[in-house]
Amino acid sequence: MKKGILVLGLLMVTLSCSEYQKLLKSEDTAPKYSAAEELYNEGKEEDSNKKLRKALRLLEQIEPQFRGKPQGERLVFILADTYYQLGDYFNSPFHFERFLQLYPNSQKAEEASYKAASCYFYRSPRFNLDQTDTHKAIEELQVYLNTYPDGEYTEEANNMATELRVKLEKKAYEIAKQYHHTEYYKAAIASFNNFIADYPGSPFREAAYYYRFDSAYRLAINSFEVLMEERLNNAKEQYKSYKKYYPEGEYVPQLEDSMSEIDKRLQNF
């Protein structure tokens, strides 16, 4: 009985594949349209990439033939969304953006705008790589938020934009920190100054204040004597900046130890 069920199942799959192949070769667009929409809907519901890929082949065949027709709007959208459901975040935004150009007043315009922007979010790489797609994602998400301030996807778009901004902050912070760790203290101080000015609400802000001070401190104590007094006083100013904003901060013990050394050295002048 089990063998019979298995054979029947294989036969149905074979027939299904055979019918699909015939459909691909057919010149009749109406059954292709129906099959494509059915496969797209089932693929989304069942999370089936196999059905979505089948839908995609049909959609790519017939979409040009429906341009300017009533079904064209629906076809352009589900073509873009099929790429999106398959995780193809390079082709999907192109098709969503084309949909928005062709049908700016569509009921699906908001969803298309959000999904096009989110494609760039998913393309955004790790913080230590090139961040072109990250900047593009923030830009596109902001366009969505400006266009639909109370939209269906506003919360998701805000969360994505925040995550991307933190990624850019982390990249800038890590570049400055790398200067510190490789003992390019002047470059580190300049980079931390820029970071603090550019990202006032960053979660890395306290650490940036600390490493800016530590860079100034290490630059001072490793200087020629003719430069040391001025640089020690500069480090002292950086200490005051940290204490102003973080009087009970995480790095206070390290700062106090370094300040003791700075005060001792300044007594020699």
Side-chain angles (χ1 to χ4, degrees):
M1 185 175 178
K2 288 182 180 179
K3 287 183 180 179
I5 293 172
L6 180 60
V7 170
L8 181 60
L10 289 171
L11 181 61
M12 290 176 68
V13 169
T14 303
L15 288 171
S16 176
C17 291
S18 175
E19 289 299 317
Y20 178 73
Q21 291 303 321
K22 287 179 183 178
L23 199 58
L24 285 174
K25 296 173 184 177
S26 171
E27 298 293 327
D28 192 350
T29 56
K32 285 185 176 184
Y33 179 97
S34 298
E37 184 146 32
E38 183 178 349
L39 286 164
Y40 162 74
N41 289 328
E42 290 178 357
K44 277 185 67 177
E45 185 177 337
E46 300 169 13
D47 196 20
S48 169
N49 282 355
K50 184 177 180 180
K51 288 187 176 181
L52 288 168
R53 282 192 290 268
K54 282 186 172 184
L56 185 61
R57 290 187 67 187
L58 292 169
L59 290 165
E60 288 174 332
Q61 281 189 353
I62 64 174
E63 186 270 328
Q65 299 172 53
F66 281 90
R67 290 175 189 171
K69 297 180 180 178
Q71 303 95 322
E73 179 180 338
R74 174 67 176 162
L75 275 176
V76 175
F77 179 84
I78 66 172
L79 175 60
D81 199 47
T82 301
Y83 279 118
Y84 185 83
Q85 299 299 329
L86 286 168
D88 185 341
Y89 301 125
F90 288 88
N91 281 306
S92 182
F94 167 79
H95 289 284
F96 277 127
E97 287 158 10
R98 188 165 70 91
F99 174 82
L100 290 167
Q101 289 173 352
L102 293 170
Y103 307 104
N105 299 317
S106 170
Q107 290 184 346
K108 290 287 190 179
E110 182 189 345
E111 184 178 350
S113 177
Y114 166 73
K115 286 184 173 178
S118 68
C119 285
Y120 294 103
F121 170 83
Y122 293 122
R123 281 164 52 173
S124 175
R126 296 193 309 273
F127 76 89
N128 56 332
L129 300 176
D130 179 73
Q131 296 299 308
T132 299
D133 281 329
T134 303
H135 287 286
K136 178 67 173 174
I138 292 172
E139 179 185 324
E140 293 299 321
L141 287 164
Q142 195 59 55
V143 168
Y144 168 80
L145 290 166
N146 291 342
T147 308
Y148 304 99
D150 300 310
E152 181 180 352
Y153 307 97
T154 299
E155 184 177 353
E156 293 94 328
N158 273 316
N159 290 339
M160 286 180 174
T162 298
E163 184 177 331
L164 294 172
R165 290 189 186 101
V166 171
K167 184 184 291 187
L168 292 179
E169 292 168 13
K170 184 171 177 62
K171 184 178 180 70
Y173 168 75
E174 290 293 342
I175 289 171
K177 196 174 174 183
Q178 186 66 22
Y179 283 129
H180 171 274
H181 288 349
T182 52
E183 301 181 4
Y184 290 98
Y185 296 124
K186 285 185 179 180
I189 293 166
S191 293
F192 282 122
N193 281 337
N194 291 335
F195 178 86
I196 289 166
D198 292 342
Y199 304 108
S202 173
F204 307 106
R205 187 174 174 83
E206 181 186 352
Y209 269 97
Y210 167 70
Y211 282 110
R212 184 178 67 172
F213 160 78
D214 197 57
S215 296
Y217 163 71
R218 292 177 187 278
L219 177 66
I221 63 174
N222 289 291
S223 296
F224 292 113
E225 189 169 349
V226 67
L227 300 171
M228 188 176 291
E229 182 179 14
E230 180 184 356
R231 289 178 174 177
L232 287 169
N233 281 313
N234 286 338
K236 199 167 184 175
E237 290 304 310
Q238 304 295 6
Y239 164 83
K240 290 177 182 177
S241 293
Y242 178 95
K243 289 284 285 184
K244 176 182 177 181
Y245 294 105
Y246 306 100
E248 306 295 331
E250 176 184 353
Y251 301 95
V252 167
Q254 295 97 307
L255 265 75
E256 298 299 350
D257 289 343
S258 298
M259 272 306 302
S260 296
E261 177 67 17
I262 288 171
D263 287 336
K264 285 179 186 176
R265 288 178 182 253
L266 282 172
Q267 286 176 7
N268 296 328
F269 296 94

